Amino acid sequence: MRFLDACAGRPVDTTPIWVMRQAGRYLPEYMDLRSRSSFVEMCRTPSLAAEATLQPIRRFDLDAAIIFSDILVPVEAMGVPVEFIPEPRLPHPVRTREDVAALRTLDPLEDTGFVMEALGSVRSSLEPSRALIGFAGAPYTVATYMVEGGGSKSYLETRTMMMQNTVAFTDLLQRIADAMAVYLEAQIDAGADAVQLFDSWAGSLSPSEFRRFALDPARSVIERVKEKGVPVIYFVNGVAGVLEDIPSSGADVIGIDYRIDLDRAIDRLGPNAVVQGNLDPTLMLGPADRIRTVASDIVRAGMKAKGHVFNLGHGILRTTPIENMEALVDEVHRAG
């Protein structure tokens, strides 16, 4: 597969591309599917999750599909209820040592078997040339949701627990790391050709806090999952301030968000790095000529690395015109 070759730093005929949140609200067929089912129902119903996963693959010449799910799916299985209204809300946050001790041990097949079933269905439907990506939230990012009770801009509750109840917070990170490791291993067994670990909120940490509370637990997940022999992508949103630390995670592919030029990121990582990224999602709003120009520049920058998988620097926006996505995919393959 072109995608897997790029992840391994092997020669490819052109640069592979997939897009974070590519199965989602910018597609009319997704909105039709969503009008008949809630988000939670779609995540928990294998046939619906598989259909959402395959929709962008049918429409665009993408090199990989990513399973339709949410990073909080295994959190509920750990005993922390999650509501989507529409943004995620956790009505019973985890903030004390007793809360942490009460968390359940995740059994991925028993608790999240619907994800594995969806993966198997998608893998059997995909062309052999297209990869299937599984994913999970990195320990620090998942912990922020658990502690905050939802999204946050200040992460005040998380920082308070991190500083005032460090033992409990560290225990929480380890429990999440154990859960995410077995969750990703099960996804690989179910048919995932690669997996991505999303650390969406780790960029809010100082470098020293990042190394202790985000990088160390993420490394423990990656070390275990890599034993399965498939590529592991580590994406930190806001990576520029800690870029030189990321290779020690052990990840095969380093995700780069849009806040740093890709060529500068590669200069800092070195030519033996394999990178993923990093078009600014707002550029996808148009015009198409601008998208083509910037995408070509990113493809050329990616050639400085050992391997490059093209992606956006964050998730695609729901107002992205379909024709702009078509232009992006065509241009990446042409320029690559």
Side-chain angles (χ1 to χ4, degrees):
M1 295 178 189
R2 180 187 293 155
F3 170 84
L4 294 182
D5 285 339
C7 288
R10 295 188 291 264
V12 290
D13 60 331
T14 191
T15 302
I17 175 174
W18 70 280
V19 171
M20 287 184 278
R21 294 182 187 162
Q22 66 189 22
R25 296 179 293 172
Y26 72 107
L27 292 174
E29 54 267 43
Y30 172 85
M31 294 307 296
D32 178 64
L33 195 66
R34 180 70 173 78
S35 69
R36 292 177 271 121
S37 304
S38 71
F39 178 75
V40 173
E41 288 172 333
M42 289 182 63
C43 289
R44 298 181 67 88
T45 306
S47 60
L48 296 177
E51 172 62 19
T53 302
L54 291 166
Q55 285 177 345
I57 301 300
R58 298 191 190 108
R59 186 183 277 270
F60 310 113
D61 186 22
L62 295 160
D63 294 286
I66 183 166
I67 195 65
F68 179 84
S69 188
D70 191 89
I71 65 170
L72 298 181
V73 164
V75 168
E76 190 154 40
M78 294 175 70
V80 182
V82 180
E83 302 170 352
F84 291 90
I85 49 176
E87 298 302 319
R89 176 177 174 272
L90 289 69
H92 303 291
V94 177
R95 294 177 181 168
T96 67
R97 183 175 298 183
E98 292 74 22
D99 293 337
V100 175
L103 292 174
R104 292 182 55 236
T105 299
L106 179 71
D107 182 330
L109 296 182
E110 180 70 24
D111 299 327
T112 57
F114 48 88
V115 175
M116 312 314 155
E117 186 177 341
L119 281 158
S121 176
V122 172
R123 183 61 271 171
S124 65
S125 300
L126 278 178
E127 300 170 13
S129 61
R130 299 181 197 258
L132 175 58
I133 304 170
F135 71 89
Y140 176 76
T141 290
V142 173
T144 63
Y145 276 107
M146 284 187 172
V147 176
E148 297 293 335
S152 176
K153 293 183 179 179
S154 65
Y155 309 101
L156 179 60
E157 295 293 345
T158 304
R159 292 180 179 278
T160 299
M161 185 177 180
M162 186 190 306
M163 298 304 168
Q164 297 184 3
N165 201 352
T166 307
V167 172
F169 189 71
T170 303
D171 186 19
L172 174 61
L173 291 171
Q174 186 57 58
R175 288 170 185 262
I176 296 171
D178 291 341
M180 296 308 114
V182 296
Y183 184 54
L184 289 175
E185 288 168 343
Q187 291 185 49
I188 294 166
D189 291 342
D193 302 297
V195 293
Q196 176 157 310
L197 197 62
F198 283 90
D199 227 344
S200 304
W201 310 130
S204 66
L205 295 168
S206 70
S208 61
E209 289 174 340
F210 172 80
R211 287 187 286 270
R212 180 177 181 184
F213 296 113
L215 182 60
D216 283 353
R219 183 188 295 116
S220 72
V221 176
I222 293 167
E223 286 177 350
R224 289 175 57 177
V225 174
K226 282 186 69 173
E227 294 180 4
K228 287 288 185 178
V230 307
V232 179
I233 307 164
Y234 184 32
F235 174 77
V236 175
N237 189 24
V239 74
V242 294
L243 193 58
E244 285 80 5
D245 292 316
I246 303 298
S248 70
S249 70
D252 300 284
V253 183
I254 298 171
I256 308 295
D257 68 282
Y258 62 92
R259 297 171 185 85
I260 180 173
D261 291 336
L262 189 63
D263 58 348
R264 293 187 179 184
I266 295 168
D267 287 342
R268 290 168 60 184
L269 291 169
N272 289 324
V274 178
V275 295
Q276 177 179 278
N278 70 335
L279 184 75
D280 183 346
T282 60
L283 289 176
M284 291 296 291
L285 302 180
D289 288 346
R290 174 66 173 161
I291 295 169
R292 291 181 183 275
T293 298
V294 178
S296 295
D297 291 343
I298 291 172
V299 168
R300 283 193 292 272
M303 292 177 182
K304 296 172 65 176
K306 185 177 181 181
H308 176 217
V309 174
F310 195 100
N311 207 315
L312 303 185
H314 203 253
I316 190 169
L317 300 172
R318 64 179 180 84
T319 53
T320 300
I322 295 296
E323 58 269 23
N324 287 353
M325 181 67 165
E326 293 171 344
L328 175 67
V329 176
D330 290 346
E331 182 61 24
V332 169
H333 284 158
R334 185 203 65 78

